[in-house]
């Protein structure tokens, strides 16, 4: 199937930042016959994209990328160009104080400013604290005082926020079918952004203002974080009371209006463990539950480590099999992973303990672990066989399907509750 020929307002779109989010967004727009320039400061990414190769793992996406590149609708480069619309998909990490670091947005805008012309649309797609889209627009005006945000002005540009909510691994399905929240700084900004996302998104395009759109994304991830914190707190309470938290949750969830999530070793990844901080750092006085949820979830790894230490007591030259270091099941993503941090702390603080790490989704341990002498990567069966303590940290399918008779006679710490009989 060939890409459709564009008949719409946007003939040339520039997508800035070609990572997990920006590259699929660029390719989906290009597949509708819009000429897209994908821009990334990473020249290796640019090179591989122009050869039709996806620089990260995303099932099914390689076919689409190859097609739009071969047809000439998507071209990657390191420099920005003049375009009808820009979509900014650069990272938005936080700093030590949990406030957003806007250095990537700022550098993207600095490179964009000379190319901007009146009438252009600039969409910030990066997850951002309330007010960031407006700050970005003001920075553009600082760099280009000849432009304006006043819709009635002939030099007006239009600015909007449209956060992304796709799940990596399901991008081919979700990029087109997820509802989007779109908020402009002005009504025309919202309208133009709706038109732009309407080129490839077939779901509902929900219109609001920029600050509400920013908060919508942060609210979604805070909702998840708070609910996981509730489950994690229940796991501590249950341990103290000597009851099985998994049974407790299962029973409570039989109530028709109760749906408690599952506890675990903590919360990781670059979204749920990060985004709530953007609310907390914006309105610390009011965001009490959100802050406490972050603290509960961030405190869980230390509790798991105490459990392991208790299990090791009295054992001479003990061996621990640590199963899983990814931040969630069946992926290779180690960003902000509580499991990785648990293993790292256990290894570095207990040099007498021999730690065997099992992670079926990565070929080599990250440097932060491989530098620890008493820690090495091993296959599942051997690691479990040799272990005194088996520490289950991630519910990867290999662990769920494992023959549990291998666990007989071992101390088992199952942070995901997968081996309950
Ligand atoms: N990955 C996800 O699952 C996900 C989901 C929803 C929202 N988000 C948000 O989307 C944004 C992007 O996330 P991602 O996962 O795609 O990040 P990523 O790190 O995979 O990609 C970002 C890309 O931007 C490039 N970049 C940085 N500065 C640049 C600049 N000045 N000009 C051009 N390119 C530049 C980097 O080289 C990198 O390739 C973040 O705000 C993130 O929070 C991510």
């Amino acid at each position: 199937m060939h890409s459709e020929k564009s008949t719409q307002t946007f003939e040339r779109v520039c997508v800035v930042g070609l990572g997990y989010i920006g590259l699929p967004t660029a390719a989906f727009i290009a597949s509708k016959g819009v000429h897209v320039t994908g821009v990334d400061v990473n020249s290796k990414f640019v090179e591989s994209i122009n050869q039709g190769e996806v620089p990260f793992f995303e099932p099914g996406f390689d076919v689409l990328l190859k097609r739009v590149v071969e047809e000439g609708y998507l071209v990657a480069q390191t420099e920005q160009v003049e375009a009808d619309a820009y979509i900014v998909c650069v990272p938005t990490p936080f700093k030590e104080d949990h406030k957003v670091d806007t250095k990537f947005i700022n550098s993207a805008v600095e490179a964009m400013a000379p190319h901007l012309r009146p009438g252009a649309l600039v969409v910030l797609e990066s997850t951002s604290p309330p007010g960031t889209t407006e700050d970005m627009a003001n920075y553009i005006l600082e760099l280009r005082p000849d432009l304006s945000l006043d819709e009635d002005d002939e030099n007006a540009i239009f600015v909007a926020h449209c956060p992304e909510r796709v799940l990596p691994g399901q991008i081919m399905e979700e990029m087109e079918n997820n509802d989007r929240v779109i908020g402009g700084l002005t009504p025309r900004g919202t309208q133009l952004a709706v038109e732009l996302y309407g080129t490839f998104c077939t779901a509902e395009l929900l219109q609001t203002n920029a600050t509400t759109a920013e908060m919508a994304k942060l609210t979604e991830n805070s909702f998840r974080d708070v609910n996981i914190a509730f489950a994690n707190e229940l796991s501590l309470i249950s341990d103290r009371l000597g009851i099985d938290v998994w049974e407790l949750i299962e029973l409570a969830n039989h109530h028709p209006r109760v749906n408690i999530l599952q506890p675990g070793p903590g919360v990781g990844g670059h979204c749920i463990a990060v985004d709530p901080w953007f609310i907390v750092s914006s309105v610390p006085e009011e965001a009490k539950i959100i802050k406490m949820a972050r603290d509960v979830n961030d405190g869980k790894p230390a509790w798991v480590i105490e459990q392991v230490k208790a299990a090791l007591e009295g054992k001479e030259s003990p061996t621990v099999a640590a199963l899983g270091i990814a931040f969630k099941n069946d992926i290779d993503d180690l960003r902000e992973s509580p499991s990785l941090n648990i293993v790292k702390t256990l290894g570095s603080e207990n040099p007498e303990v021999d730690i065997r790490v099992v992670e079926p989704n990565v070929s080599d341990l990250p440097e932060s672990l491989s530098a620890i002498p008493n820690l090495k990567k091993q296959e599942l069966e051997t690691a479990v066989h040799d272990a005194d303590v088996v520490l289950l940290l991630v519910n990867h399918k290999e662990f769920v399907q494992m023959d549990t008779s291998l666990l007989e006679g071992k101390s088992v710490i199952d942070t995901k509750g997968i081996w309950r009989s």
Side-chain angles (χ1 to χ4, degrees), residues 372-417:
I372 301 172
N374 51 318
L375 193 151
K376 69 175 175 201
K377 189 170 185 286
Q378 208 166 47
E379 292 306 309
L380 178 61
E381 273 78 17
T382 324
V384 173
H385 179 268
D386 294 350
D388 301 294
V389 175
V390 179
L391 171 62
L392 184 285
L393 292 166
V394 188
N395 49 338
H396 288 320
K397 61 180 186 313
E398 292 82 355
F399 309 152
V400 175
Q401 291 158 3
M402 191 185 90
D403 174 5
T404 48
S405 68
L406 288 171
L407 299 171
E408 273 164 29
K410 322 257 175 207
S411 297
V412 177
I413 300 166
D414 176 1
T415 67
K416 298 295 290 182

Side-chain angles (χ1 to χ4, degrees), residues 19-37:
Y20 289 101
I21 297 301
L23 183 57
T25 305
F28 270 84
I29 298 175
S31 75
K32 302 302 174 191
V34 179
H35 285 280
V36 178
T37 306

Side-chain angles (χ1 to χ4, degrees), residues 138-292:
N138 289 332
Y139 189 41
I140 293 174
L141 293 196
E142 220 178 289
L143 299 163
R144 285 286 306 274
D146 57 309
L147 297 173
S148 158
L149 293 174
D150 181 348
E151 291 201 343
D152 297 329
D153 201 318
E154 60 177 15
N155 285 333
I157 57 160
F158 304 95
V159 178
H161 183 63
C162 178
E164 181 54 80
R165 24 159 89 135
V166 287
L167 185 65
Q170 294 183 26
I171 284 183
M172 290 308 290
E173 151 81 16
E174 294 198 0
M175 187 63 74
E176 243 170 3
N177 299 324
N178 283 359
D179 295 342
R180 301 295 293 248
V181 177
I182 297 177
L185 287 185
T186 56
R188 179 85 181 129
T190 310
Q191 198 188 326
L192 282 171
V194 164
E195 232 174 279
L196 176 61
Y197 283 81
T199 56
F200 68 95
C201 178
T202 54
E204 267 190 82
L205 302 171
L206 306 153
Q207 302 182 29
T208 180
N209 58 48
T211 313
T212 311
E214 288 160 340
M215 269 303 285
K217 167 76 187 174
L218 304 179
T219 300
E220 290 158 18
N221 281 340
S222 299
F223 175 86
R224 300 275 302 158
D225 200 43
V226 167
N227 282 278
I228 297 167
F230 182 65
N232 276 333
E233 186 164 296
L234 283 178
S235 73
L236 307 194
I237 293 168
S238 300
D239 183 65
R240 182 58 67 88
L241 297 177
I243 61 176
D244 178 346
V245 68
W246 315 99
E247 183 191 2
L248 173 71
I249 291 175
E250 199 178 306
L251 293 172
N253 281 348
H254 275 268
H255 183 292
R257 286 166 296 282
V258 172
N259 185 13
I260 303 167
L261 301 182
Q262 300 295 303
V267 170
H270 44 83
C271 287
I272 299 180
V274 173
D275 300 352
W277 285 119
F278 291 165
I279 299 182
V280 174
S281 61
S282 294
V283 280
E285 289 286 308
E286 290 78 11
K288 293 191 180 74
I289 293 175
I290 297 172
K291 163 79 165 60
M292 197 171 280

